[in-house]
Amino acid sequence: MHPMTSNGVVNESVFLRACRGEDVPHTPVWFMRQAGRSLPEYRKLREGTAMLEACRTPDLVCEITLQPVRRHGVDAAIFFSDIVVPLAAVGVGVDIVPGTGPVVAEPIRTAAQVEQLRDLTYDDVDYVAEAIRLLLAELGGTPLIGFAGAPFTLASYLVEGGPSKNHARTKALMYGAPDVWHALCSRLATITSQFLNVQIEAGVAAVQLFDSWAGALSLADYERFVAPHSAAVLSSVQDKGVPRIHFGVGTAHLLGAMAEAGADVVGVDWRTPLSRAADLVGGRPVQGNLDPCALLAPEVVLAEEVRRVLTDGASASGGHIFNLGHGVLPETDPGALTRTVELVHEHSARRAT
Ligand code: 1CP
């Protein structure tokens, strides 16, 4: 339901308008991994609670999601969770190890193991829906972004058993046992679709599909082994009234294919100029792409980089949502994030027409 102004004009959020390629009074900004990571109030709240346990506790999820919205005045909130939450919810033995990331007890590499991956139901993740309901009551007009990991990125954790540099075992399965690979990705696409649909039914305003590690693939392999599964996820959330953002790292050569998989907005890392990315994604809005390391630079340098991204984004034909090229680094000074929001809003402010 969109709030109406007195003259009956729909007064929708700047972020959602930008996702649809509509005119906006200023460039909207939010940050991947804005919840958690660099915030001292987050670290304090998390003390003594394991990551996955925190993700299953609606009060905590609600508070952690709100922290960066209050502190930085970003134009969107991202739901505090992790890409492995739905996998744990269907019974995969996965834990998030501090300082490492997701670790899978028994890596999945055989057809028999793939068959054991079951569907995800609402009851498996009722705590997610509950946290979203709490958040909608608190967020006012700020839209909430739901998210999930894309089949390739999830498969990489499951096959490798944890974080990986080269995704060697993952690619070995893909090349060596394509039937098992497609069966695995197709199972993951179903679980991911179910997870995103729970979030949409609970009320998120947009969804982002994180295919963080897809950039490790050639275009030919992406199209053959991955795109059909990501497309299945994105089509399962089509026509639900929520924009779909599709993001990966190191994807200059994949941007067109990622757009065609069914994205409304394409996320771009810092390596590709936004104006070029916009051409590659058929004029869809682009999201990005400040280098997260720029937040560690002196303020004058940061300001220059923010302006450069805004100028480049202004020439992106489909419109621009300001973000980082990847997630906030843990050592980032939260003040640099707040300053970036101010700079984006100041420098992109347009007169009402
Ligand atoms: O964006 C936000 O603020 C919401 C929170 C969020 C999101 C969107 C978390 C919390 N994780 C994610 C997604 C996620 N998780 C991605 C996709 C985004 C990206 O590329 O950054 C990926 C690849 C993961 C996997 C993961 N989970 C890693 C990376 C490991 C690797 O392979 O290099 C790590 C370190 C985690 C743990 C995690 N997730 C989130 C937090 C706050 C933490 C740290 C928790 C802890 O150490 O206890």
Side-chain angles (χ1 to χ4, degrees):
M1 200 62 71
H2 306 314
M4 292 280 199
T5 58
S6 52
N7 61 0
V9 174
V10 173
N11 179 16
E12 251 207 333
S13 94
V14 173
F15 166 76
L16 291 174
R17 290 186 59 88
C19 286
R20 299 205 179 92
E22 295 166 8
D23 287 343
V24 282
H26 61 82
T27 302
V29 49
W30 69 280
F31 305 110
M32 290 184 278
R33 305 294 206 101
Q34 68 190 17
R37 289 253 165 142
S38 70
L39 297 187
E41 59 268 37
Y42 163 74
R43 296 208 187 106
K44 188 144 185 278
L45 207 56
R46 272 285 317 282
E47 262 169 35
T49 309
M51 178 64 190
L52 284 177
E53 193 190 332
C55 294
R56 293 183 191 118
T57 311
D59 286 351
L60 267 183
V61 170
C62 180
E63 178 56 23
I64 295 170
T65 303
L66 291 170
Q67 283 175 343
V69 180
R70 286 193 206 110
R71 194 194 251 262
H72 308 307
V74 281
D75 293 289
I78 178 142
F79 187 70
F80 179 78
S81 186
D82 191 79
I83 58 168
V84 299
V85 164
L87 302 179
V90 298
V92 173
V94 56
D95 197 10
I96 294 182
V97 176
T100 301
V103 174
V104 178
E106 285 177 45
I108 295 183
R109 295 172 190 161
T110 66
Q113 286 174 299
V114 170
E115 270 166 36
Q116 282 173 10
L117 284 173
R118 67 164 173 86
D119 279 7
L120 178 122
T121 67
Y122 176 90
D123 289 342
D124 295 319
V125 285
D126 53 356
Y127 47 84
V128 167
E130 173 60 19
I132 292 170
R133 276 191 288 272
L134 293 177
L135 274 162
L136 294 182
E138 296 283 334
L139 274 166
T142 305
L144 177 62
I145 304 170
F147 74 89
F152 175 76
T153 291
L154 292 177
S156 170
Y157 287 106
L158 290 179
V159 176
E160 305 286 340
S164 154
K165 224 178 179 162
N166 300 320
H167 312 279
R169 285 200 180 90
T170 311
K171 289 186 183 181
L173 182 73
M174 195 176 89
Y175 291 129
D179 290 356
V180 178
W181 171 261
H182 283 296
L184 172 60
C185 286
S186 146
R187 282 275 73 221
L188 292 172
T190 301
I191 292 166
T192 300
S193 299
Q194 289 161 337
F195 188 53
L196 287 175
N197 277 291
V198 169
Q199 295 177 58
I200 291 169
E201 273 156 39
V204 298
V207 290
Q208 177 154 324
L209 190 63
F210 281 95
D211 209 351
S212 302
W213 313 138
L217 296 164
S218 69
L219 174 60
D221 286 345
Y222 179 80
E223 285 182 331
R224 180 163 160 219
F225 292 112
V226 173
H229 304 292
S230 296
V233 175
L234 290 164
S235 76
S236 83
V237 291
Q238 197 176 5
D239 304 327
K240 304 256 161 129
V242 300
R244 300 159 300 167
I245 309 167
H246 197 184
F247 167 78
V249 181
T251 53
H253 59 303
L254 303 181
L255 289 170
M258 289 179 72
E260 275 168 34
D264 300 305
V265 177
V266 178
V268 182
D269 83 0
W270 63 91
R271 296 172 180 91
T272 309
L274 291 172
S275 45
R276 203 170 111 72
D279 293 340
L280 296 170
V281 302
R284 289 170 175 82
V286 287
Q287 175 176 281
N289 70 348
L290 183 73
D291 188 329
C293 298
L295 293 160
L296 311 179
E299 190 174 320
V300 278
V301 180
L302 171 61
E304 261 170 44
E305 285 303 300
V306 168
R307 266 196 294 272
R308 196 181 53 72
V309 170
L310 281 173
T311 305
D312 193 26
S315 62
S317 49
H320 175 213
I321 296 154
F322 194 102
N323 206 310
L324 306 181
H326 198 183
V328 174
L329 296 167
E331 62 267 42
T332 306
D333 173 359
L337 292 168
T338 309
R339 185 70 193 123
T340 300
V341 173
E342 289 166 359
L343 287 166
V344 171
H345 286 168
E346 280 166 22
H347 289 298
S348 67
R350 295 184 257 288
R351 257 175 233 280
T353 47

